[in-house]
Amino acid sequence: MILCCGEALIDMLPVEGAFAPHTGGAVFNTAIALGRLGAPTSFFSGLSADFFGDMLRASLADASVDSAPCVTTARPCTLAFVRLVEGQASYAFYDENTAGRLLTEADLPPVTAEACFFGGISLVVEPCGGAYEAMMARARAAGSVTMIDPNIRPGFITDEAGYRARLGRMLGMADIVKLSVEDLGWLARGDGEGFLQGLIDGGAALVLVTDGGKGARAISARHRLVEPARRVAVVDTVGAGDTFNAGVLASLSRAGLLSRAGLAALDERAIREALRLGSAAAAVTVSRTGANPPWAHEIQP
């Protein structure tokens, strides 16, 4: 089982001069994509009891993702209004006093999953940011594989120093790190390659960097691999990185490598297969509107 820990929200996508609600959130999208790819998956977040929360729960159930770890309250759901410019998305978040935002360490479920995934805007704000950091520490202590994709949204950050400190601690606990080139630029502030090598030296078994249409690369202690992006007509990029994460985790899980020992023994073939499934899944997502990850049967070999 893979447990995805982080935000679930409603993306308000532009349509004919108005906005239409779609389920979303970086970590939620990864959970949905994992479920659709056939990986046993559960999801932990704070969900609203309102009809937006019902939409989120229904999407999880449809993808066979277990939402039992979630905490449901009467608080409202987080909203993200999306602006698309030539297919590239930017966001305006409405997150004060929401069901996801006010999650605390007291709400954390027990750690029983083989792997736990973290990331997104849920790491930026309190009290949920502290709760997810504590969850990652528990997962690491329990022997679960930990993965993080910070999916940095600079416009959402109000305490940059505090956020950088949290990411530093969580990156240091991660077995797998995924960064976009934009994330890498924000984190490294100049020395991107040195930053990536520092993650490996600090204990990460696998570091992944995505660069949109240019493809993705993987770095481990023994390997440096590049996977070109699939050529597709891009409709928008919402959920592309989240789907890539799911493809990587699903590939490693299928290969029986989603353990500390398995990651330590990763060979070139296993890393290449993970890159390929992540890239293939992301290519389907960008070919259609919104965060709509593919089902396993839609992936082209």
Side-chain angles (χ1 to χ4, degrees), residues 42-243:
S42 56
F43 180 67
F44 169 63
S45 187
L47 297 182
S48 177
D50 66 12
F51 64 90
F52 284 143
D54 291 341
M55 289 174 60
L56 293 163
R57 282 181 287 273
S59 292
L60 291 166
D62 184 61
S64 298
V65 176
D66 180 11
S67 63
C70 291
V71 176
T72 299
T73 70
R75 301 182 185 106
C77 182
T78 299
L79 302 180
F81 284 81
V82 182
R83 182 187 182 192
L84 296 173
V85 178
E86 296 181 353
Q88 299 296 312
S90 59
Y91 301 82
F93 294 98
Y94 294 82
D95 188 49
E96 291 294 331
N97 299 312
T98 60
R101 172 78 172 265
L102 296 183
L103 201 71
T104 71
E105 191 170 345
D107 297 313
L108 297 181
V111 180
T112 58
E114 65 176 340
C116 293
F117 174 81
F118 302 87
I121 65 167
S122 53
L123 305 183
V124 180
V125 292
E126 299 296 350
C128 66
Y132 289 119
E133 182 180 350
M135 183 68 180
M136 191 177 196
R138 293 185 189 185
R140 183 150 186 88
S144 298
V145 166
T146 54
M147 179 176 178
I148 185 171
D149 172 11
N151 201 1
I152 296 164
R153 304 297 182 198
F156 189 68
I157 301 166
T158 56
D159 177 9
E160 182 175 329
Y163 178 52
R164 284 185 180 275
R166 168 164 293 139
L167 287 185
R169 294 188 296 270
M170 295 185 75
L171 289 167
M173 291 189 283
D175 297 299
I176 306 172
V177 176
K178 181 265 183 175
L179 304 170
S180 68
V181 290
E182 294 82 7
D183 292 340
L184 179 58
W186 191 89
L187 286 164
R189 296 194 270 198
D191 185 11
E193 295 307 310
F195 186 86
L196 295 174
Q197 186 59 48
L199 294 174
I200 296 296
D201 294 342
L206 184 63
V207 177
L208 307 157
V209 181
T210 57
D211 192 6
K214 296 180 181 179
R217 56 184 172 131
I219 302 162
S220 71
R222 294 179 293 153
H223 302 288
R224 301 287 189 276
L225 301 177
V226 176
E227 178 70 18
R230 302 289 179 100
R231 297 302 170 191
V232 296
V234 176
V235 174
D236 70 47
T237 60
V238 178
D242 311 326
T243 305

